[in-house]
Amino acid sequence: MTPTQHTGGLDGEAPGAGPDPEPRAGHEPGIQAGPGAGHTPEPETGPAPEPEAGPAPEPETGPAPEPEAGLEAELDAELEAELHAGFLAEAAHWLHGLFGPADRATAAVGRILDVGSGPGVASRALADAFPRAQVVAVDRSAALLARAEARAAEHGLAGRITTQRAERPEEFARSGPVDLIWTGNVCRHLGDQQAAVRSLASALRPGGLLAVAERGLPPRFLPRDIGIGRPGLQARLDAAVEEQVTARRSRLPGATSVVEDWPCLLASAGLVPAGSRTFLIEFPAPLDVPARRHLHTRLHGLLTDLGERLDLVDRLTVEQLLDGDSCTGVLWRPDAFYLTAVTVHTARLCRPLTTSRTGS
């Protein structure tokens, strides 16, 4: 399954969300795996053998038994990252072009940080785009960093991709000055997003580039009317997630309210904005099995985490979508698709940030 890449204008989840003070699942604040509060969702069992008139091709091997919550979150983080691999490769190629002609860009970038690397899908894309660079994958999860190391070895990049475990912004630059920093959906998990950007900027060499993938448009995967429940379920789920994100951000250590104008935040950190670009990630219906499994896990997390933010009708509708034996479930529906967009904002360091380095 190959995504269609376009530029254009979702709170899309770029892979590899970084430091997160709460359990991870699918890299979306407000989505966790595990038992629900006041409501126990139906365990993920995978689809039964396809009915005679089933609407979608039978999966080749059905989903494995549901793993523990932490492992499930890590597996889904990797699956989501792989769904976004095409976008990451295109984004890395675009960043290469921001450094100038091909030969100059390749020579200019010798060291890269992938902050919030997750399983290392972005690290691989960056290593491929900058063939002379050493890439450091930085994440809080030891298990995901182990997957990043395994992925690098699988693709012959073990000598160029290393890992570093870190949770706080001041730890990101522990490995020394770098020429390029990629960070996907990390700042949203930190109380003071402006301070996080300043800390990232302090790790750059003069001429270096910071690329921040934050927010976008939320993933869409269902039609407005799905034939069960009330039309408009997806829009109500998105609204409930936004309320949960706002509530969670208010409880983060050092939570500070800022206008999420990323070019402005980058400029306030002493950098010169170098351009923004939005990437569309599209998998049309009918979806193949990995994408369906990701959507099933995402819906399971939404049902668990949103709790009473959903009314009874919507909770029952989501439960029906999670039913692995029903042709109306997301594992079988012929109309399920995957559409999201991720915006990447870039800025360059034109002179040393001596003050920021001293204070970080």
Side-chain angles (χ1 to χ4, degrees):
M1 179 171 61
T2 304
T4 303
Q5 306 290 343
H6 304 281
T7 56
L10 188 171
D11 176 6
E13 284 300 328
D20 184 349
E22 307 199 37
R24 303 161 55 107
H27 301 297
E28 179 69 42
I31 298 178
Q32 299 177 24
H39 182 83
T40 303
E42 179 177 337
E44 181 180 351
T45 60
E50 184 179 7
E52 291 183 4
E58 180 177 359
E60 295 176 5
T61 61
E66 182 178 10
E68 296 180 1
L71 177 58
E72 181 184 12
E74 288 159 359
L75 292 173
D76 190 58
E78 183 157 12
L79 178 53
E80 183 181 35
E82 288 171 347
L83 290 176
H84 289 200
F87 140 66
L88 290 167
E90 187 175 353
H93 179 76
W94 174 62
L95 294 174
H96 187 278
L98 294 180
F99 282 91
D103 291 346
R104 185 187 305 172
T106 299
V109 179
R111 191 169 183 81
I112 299 172
L113 283 187
D114 175 13
V115 178
S117 64
V121 178
S123 299
R124 182 202 168 188
L126 292 164
D128 287 342
F130 296 91
R132 296 184 190 174
Q134 296 292 316
V135 180
V136 182
V138 182
D139 202 278
R140 66 170 299 183
S141 168
L144 288 173
L145 289 176
R147 283 299 305 140
E149 291 174 353
R151 183 182 299 277
E154 289 167 5
H155 295 281
L157 297 168
R160 294 180 49 218
I161 297 178
T162 58
T163 61
Q164 173 187 322
R165 191 174 182 184
E167 296 196 21
R168 296 183 299 277
E170 58 269 25
E171 298 176 310
F172 297 163
R174 216 164 46 195
S175 59
V178 294
D179 303 297
L180 171 62
I181 299 174
W182 168 273
T183 176
N185 299 316
V186 169
C187 295
R188 70 173 68 180
H189 297 279
L190 302 169
D192 190 337
Q193 297 184 91
Q194 181 67 79
V197 172
R198 289 195 186 101
S199 183
L200 290 167
S202 73
L204 290 171
R205 291 191 178 102
L209 195 71
L210 172 58
V212 178
E214 284 286 347
R215 308 293 281 177
L217 296 174
R220 310 293 296 185
F221 48 91
L222 293 170
R224 186 190 67 86
D225 190 338
I226 61 174
I228 53 177
R230 291 183 293 135
L233 172 68
Q234 181 117 62
R236 292 190 295 277
L237 291 176
D238 291 345
V241 167
E242 286 301 318
E243 290 178 2
Q244 184 79 301
V245 169
T246 300
R248 288 202 168 173
R249 277 209 52 78
S250 70
R251 299 194 298 268
L252 289 172
T256 303
S257 178
V258 295
V259 176
E260 293 180 347
D261 177 348
W262 288 99
C264 182
L265 290 171
L266 292 166
S268 296
L271 305 177
V272 177
S276 299
R277 180 173 168 183
T278 300
F279 299 84
L280 184 70
I281 305 164
E282 180 183 13
F283 295 87
L287 292 175
D288 68 8
V289 173
R292 290 177 182 274
R293 287 178 181 165
H294 169 63
L295 294 183
H296 190 277
T297 302
R298 184 180 183 87
L299 280 168
H300 186 278
L302 284 168
L303 182 63
T304 297
D305 202 54
L306 295 179
E308 298 308 312
R309 293 183 186 274
L310 300 179
D311 64 25
L312 178 61
V313 173
D314 283 347
R315 290 200 302 272
L316 291 174
T317 303
V318 175
E319 285 184 343
Q320 201 166 342
L321 286 167
L322 288 171
D323 187 348
D325 295 327
S326 172
C327 63
T328 60
V330 74
L331 288 170
W332 296 104
R333 299 184 65 94
D335 56 358
F337 59 92
Y338 185 83
L339 179 67
T340 188
V342 180
T343 301
V344 182
H345 307 278
T346 65
R348 195 180 306 279
L349 177 63
C350 293
R351 60 180 181 276
L353 296 176
T354 53
T355 301
S356 296
R357 288 184 189 279
T358 301
S360 61

